Amino acid sequence: MRIRQFAPAAALLGTFCLPAHAGEQVRGISRDTLAPNDGWASYGTGTTGGATADDAHVYTVTDRAGLVRALDGGSDTPKIIKIAGTIDANTDDRGRHLGCAGYATGGYDLKRYLAAYDPRTWGAAKPSGPQEEARQASAARQAERIVFTVGSHTTIVGLGSSAVLKGASLQVRGADNVIVRNVELRDAYDCFPVWQPNSGGLGDWKTAYDTLWLNGATHVWVDHLTASDKGHPDADEPTCFARNYLRHDGLLDITNGSDLVTVSWSRFADHDKAMLIGNGDNVTGDRGKLRVTLHHNEFDGVVQRAPRVRFGQVHLYDNRYVVPDDGEYRYSIGVSTESRIHAENNAFHTPNHVEAADLVKSWNGSALHASATLFNGYPVDLLTIYNAYNSGSERDLTADVGWTPALHGPVDSAAVADRAVARDAGAGRIR
């Protein structure tokens, strides 16, 4: 991976313990910028994050309060924010952990909420009344603590191999030129999901927080990220109204006209809906945007959306997919309205009950380029298999997506990439 190096940042602020040479490593990468031709985020002005930050705007943060100060309300001042150790977003101003009970207000109680909006008595109307109002007020209190707005010209980088941001939702809203690297984002846990009676025909629980949300963001490089539900898997949550009581939304969602994004050498694990690119079939303003490159990433234990794409022009290459023997699995590549996915040299590992045709799912999609796919060690023609197995229920996808990617480095064979990603993807593995 080619990167341009700037001069090292000023001396680290604060006093803390790190593994030997970890500080030297991060001083070397904190001013890195995205290499030329490394995916869509390198297009035009490229992506430099906070590389031009002066010494006064280089921060090392060890707790929530420090992170809030460094982010400066999402200002556009060039800044570098180094995360040291584990930061728990669910903490009060004195650094004490806040559980869900600490946010509850207005008389909110889950048992009362369930009794109030039981579909057998409430019906299909949208929840309203005292318990829904209390839920909204409680949710707002949690959002004040765990939502962090990232402004333009910002680099967020983890120190060493153990930087963790726990319980937080990083949100890049309408910002340009942002880098997030070498950080584990863990368990953006929603204490107050809302019941949506009409969702999916049977109703469903809607959660509020992605671990990282690009909302109208441009020129964003996400690299060596680890994102998961670690600590509170949704599979352990109860069933309420015959639906899983979900606590997590996406791991990385790219929506609302976001554009020019590269996601590289990252690991997305143990989650249901991992990555959504484009958030609505009717959001026609996304046309010509949502240009995203995903390369050398691992999707391990992901049920679906790896990614699901609407409108986006997405280059998906040299990624590794692992479907565990136990647990739910629906699909990996979601082909939706006007999506143009160019997938090549990706490797899939699945148990026996998952067929190659299961790897792709289409909703109003029309095209998918899929070449040099490796399925359990064997080369397969993924598009032909998908069309053959699903011709009775879904329209065939054509191979012509209308474009050929040009912004990329060398494309490894699926077998070579598979081994490299298993070894090097995720936080703490920058070489």
Side-chain angles (χ1 to χ4, degrees):
M1 181 166 50
R2 298 167 294 172
I3 50 179
R4 299 194 299 270
Q5 298 273 348
F6 282 70
L12 299 177
L13 305 178
T15 302
F16 47 87
C17 297
L18 294 172
H21 308 302
E24 295 174 10
Q25 175 205 31
V26 174
R27 282 196 297 273
I29 71 170
S30 63
R31 292 186 186 269
D32 286 352
T33 64
L34 181 64
N37 298 313
D38 191 351
W40 277 116
S42 66
Y43 184 79
T45 57
T47 302
T48 59
T52 63
D54 59 27
D55 288 351
H57 293 94
V58 178
Y59 309 91
T60 297
V61 299
T62 60
D63 57 19
R64 180 191 175 278
L67 180 59
V68 169
R69 288 192 296 269
L71 286 168
D72 189 27
S75 77
D76 292 343
T77 303
K79 61 184 75 66
I80 295 171
I81 302 171
K82 305 176 185 180
I83 295 178
T86 297
I87 294 176
D88 185 356
N90 287 290
T91 52
D92 64 17
D93 290 338
R94 297 175 61 182
R96 298 174 299 188
H97 179 73
L98 287 169
C100 292
Y103 295 120
T105 188
Y108 174 82
D109 178 82
L110 179 57
K111 290 183 179 180
R112 294 176 184 172
Y113 188 90
L114 294 174
Y117 307 115
D118 187 329
R120 294 171 296 183
T121 54
W122 179 261
K126 182 179 178 181
S128 62
Q131 274 299 305
E132 172 58 16
E133 292 168 3
R135 188 205 64 79
Q136 292 179 18
S138 302
R141 294 183 70 185
Q142 185 184 22
E144 288 177 358
R145 308 307 297 180
I146 73 169
V147 172
F148 299 89
T149 302
V150 181
S152 298
H153 314 301
T154 298
T155 292
I156 297 175
V157 61
L159 284 171
S161 60
S162 57
V164 177
L165 187 52
K166 178 182 177 183
S169 177
L170 286 181
Q171 301 188 3
V172 187
R173 299 186 226 171
D176 178 69
N177 192 30
V178 172
I179 295 173
V180 181
R181 299 185 76 197
N182 198 44
V183 181
E184 179 181 352
L185 300 182
R186 180 191 302 172
D187 189 25
Y189 187 85
D190 187 348
C191 288
F192 308 101
V194 60
W195 174 243
Q196 295 185 323
N198 293 313
S199 178
L202 298 174
D204 212 346
W205 293 97
K206 173 65 176 175
T207 55
Y209 310 115
D210 303 318
T211 54
L212 177 58
W213 183 23
L214 309 186
N215 179 358
T218 54
H219 287 108
V220 180
W221 180 28
V222 177
D223 179 67
H224 282 90
L225 181 79
T226 295
S228 76
D229 299 342
K230 186 176 181 179
H232 289 101
D234 279 337
D236 290 349
E237 296 294 333
T239 297
C240 299
F241 302 155
R243 305 294 286 169
N244 187 220
Y245 189 59
L246 296 175
R247 298 291 194 152
H248 302 90
D249 200 359
L251 293 178
L252 168 56
D253 279 7
I254 304 169
T255 64
N256 297 306
S258 290
D259 198 18
L260 305 176
V261 177
T262 297
V263 182
S264 57
W265 295 99
S266 293
R267 185 169 187 268
F268 303 92
D270 304 323
H271 185 83
D272 185 359
K273 301 171 182 177
M275 187 182 299
L276 182 65
I277 300 176
N279 56 309
D281 291 341
N282 299 318
V283 187
T284 55
D286 283 344
R287 287 174 178 149
K289 301 177 182 178
L290 299 173
R291 290 173 288 181
V292 179
T293 300
L294 303 172
H295 74 84
H296 294 93
N297 302 294
E298 181 175 63
F299 297 90
D300 185 359
V302 167
V303 177
Q304 57 187 316
R305 297 186 183 177
R308 178 178 177 179
V309 183
R310 295 181 177 97
F311 297 103
Q313 193 169 327
V314 176
H315 190 196
L316 183 69
Y317 76 92
D318 281 347
N319 299 286
R320 168 183 164 89
Y321 294 79
V322 181
V323 179
D325 290 333
D326 56 347
E328 185 181 6
Y329 175 75
R330 296 189 181 180
Y331 68 92
S332 293
I333 302 173
V335 184
S336 296
T337 303
E338 296 186 33
S339 63
R340 295 185 288 165
I341 303 171
H342 188 105
E344 56 183 323
N345 298 53
N346 298 295
F348 294 83
H349 302 268
T350 76
N352 291 335
H353 68 273
V354 176
E355 303 286 349
D358 298 327
L359 305 180
V360 176
K361 176 69 176 175
S362 175
W363 298 263
N364 302 318
S366 61
L368 170 67
H369 173 97
S371 59
T373 303
L374 204 62
F375 179 70
N376 289 331
Y378 293 91
V380 296
D381 184 339
L382 185 57
L383 183 60
T384 298
I385 292 172
Y386 170 81
N387 284 336
Y389 274 73
N390 294 280
S391 59
S393 57
E394 299 173 6
R395 69 174 173 175
D396 284 357
L397 301 175
T398 71
D400 183 8
V401 294
W403 71 293
T404 301
L407 291 170
H408 58 82
V411 179
D412 297 321
S413 71
V416 169
D418 187 39
R419 293 189 294 270
V421 171
R423 181 184 64 241
D424 293 335
R429 295 183 175 184
I430 293 180
R431 291 176 177 268

